[in-house]
Amino acid sequence: NAGVTQTPKFQVLKTGQSMTLQCAQDMNHNSMYWYRQDPGMGLRLIYYSASEGTTDKGEVPNGYNVSRLNKREFSLRLESAAPSQTSVYFCASSEGEGGPTGELFFGEGSRLTVL
Amino acid sequence: GDSVTQMEGPVTLSEEAFLTINCTYTATGYPSLFWYVQYPGEGLQLLLKATKADDKGSNKGFEATYRKETTSFHLEKGSVQVSDSAVYFCALEAWQAGTALIFGKGTTLSVSS
């Protein structure tokens, strides 16, 4: 039972490089999310997708783009990485509207370092 | 906007000690409230939740009661174990972001034997 799978788990980039974080869930969930976790800041929502075909900005969307490729997959792209984007990124999913409130299922995280 | 404030850590306890981690919130309306736990090297997982005032969520010996009067949702456990060492996050449902959650900054708990 895989749940939420993120790749890659670790990545080092140079300033200005681009990359995409991949996320897939096998629970047939409607909603998916990208959070970043920074020391002393907790988790902050970057983007979310309430349902297939929709995406919306969260608290800290600048410098990121997302794609909800299908119901299973939700990718996060950094077009021109900056040192301020050094963080641990978590993808999560939930049943969404009509489902159990608040039950987000998280991946194991992707640790990104931008030099 | 909606927000969650939880006590600063780290919290260091001996095994079998009593645990309280304070959490207060600011929100429009009466959102559902949650505690999530993150063990080292892992993602977050739901520990317990409460969906309305005076509800008590409980799981694995942990409890938290939704207090509307004090806008609080403090996490308690009567006797902690070394295996409880983790980061604990208080969260509320963000009505303005689908069913996303707004998290507090997290409190690190370290339990020694």
Side-chain angles (χ1 to χ4, degrees), chain A residues 21-36:
Chain A
L21 298 176
Q22 307 285 355
C23 175
Q25 51 90 9
D26 63 2
M27 295 171 282
N28 200 37
H29 283 167
N30 292 310
S31 299
M32 297 185 74
Y33 316 84
W34 278 105
Y35 286 88
R36 58 178 290 175

Side-chain angles (χ1 to χ4, degrees), chain B residues 14 19-20 30 43-44 47 64 69 92 95 97 102 104 108 110:
Chain B
S14 298
L19 169 70
T20 300
Y30 304 105
L44 280 71
L47 180 60
E69 309 79 21
L92 60 81
W95 65 270
I102 292 175
T108 299
S110 179

Side-chain angles (χ1 to χ4, degrees), chain B residues 4 9 14 17 21 25 32-33 37 39-40 48 53 55-56 62 72-73 76 81 84 86 91 97 111:
Chain B
V4 174
S14 298
I21 300 178
Y25 67 90
S32 296
L33 302 173
V37 59
Y39 298 104
L48 54 83
D55 264 4
K56 176 185 285 189
F62 291 89
S72 65
F73 192 55
E76 297 181 335
Q81 305 300 312
D84 293 327
V111 181

Side-chain angles (χ1 to χ4, degrees), chain B:
Chain B
D2 295 358
S3 66
V4 174
T5 301
Q6 58 183 108
M7 63 186 288
E8 298 282 334
V11 175
T12 303
L13 295 174
S14 298
E15 208 166 22
E16 299 184 1
F18 184 86
L19 169 70
T20 300
I21 300 178
N22 291 338
C23 172
T24 58
Y25 67 90
T26 301
T28 303
Y30 304 105
S32 296
L33 302 173
F34 312 87
W35 279 100
Y36 276 75
V37 59
Q38 183 182 30
Y39 298 104
E42 298 183 8
L44 280 71
Q45 54 187 277
L46 179 65
L47 180 60
L48 54 83
K49 69 179 183 182
T51 57
K52 60 183 187 296
D54 299 325
D55 264 4
K56 176 185 285 189
S58 61
N59 186 24
K60 299 181 180 180
F62 291 89
E63 294 183 338
T65 301
Y66 191 144
R67 302 286 188 198
K68 184 178 64 174
E69 309 79 21
T70 54
T71 61
S72 65
F73 192 55
H74 304 321
L75 182 68
E76 297 181 335
K77 187 175 185 183
S79 176
V80 294
Q81 305 300 312
V82 172
S83 58
D84 293 327
S85 298
V87 182
Y88 293 82
F89 293 90
C90 186
L92 60 81
E93 192 171 35
W95 65 270
Q96 68 270 37
T99 52
L101 300 184
I102 292 175
F103 288 88
K105 294 183 178 181
T107 302
T108 299
L109 171 64
S110 179
V111 181
S112 58
S113 58

Side-chain angles (χ1 to χ4, degrees), chain A residues 64-84:
Chain A
Y64 305 95
N65 287 300
V66 291
S67 294
R68 183 73 183 267
L69 305 170
N70 48 55
K71 191 172 185 179
R72 290 186 64 248
E73 298 173 289
F74 188 40
S75 63
L76 178 72
R77 182 162 179 83
L78 287 70
E79 291 291 353
S80 179
S84 61

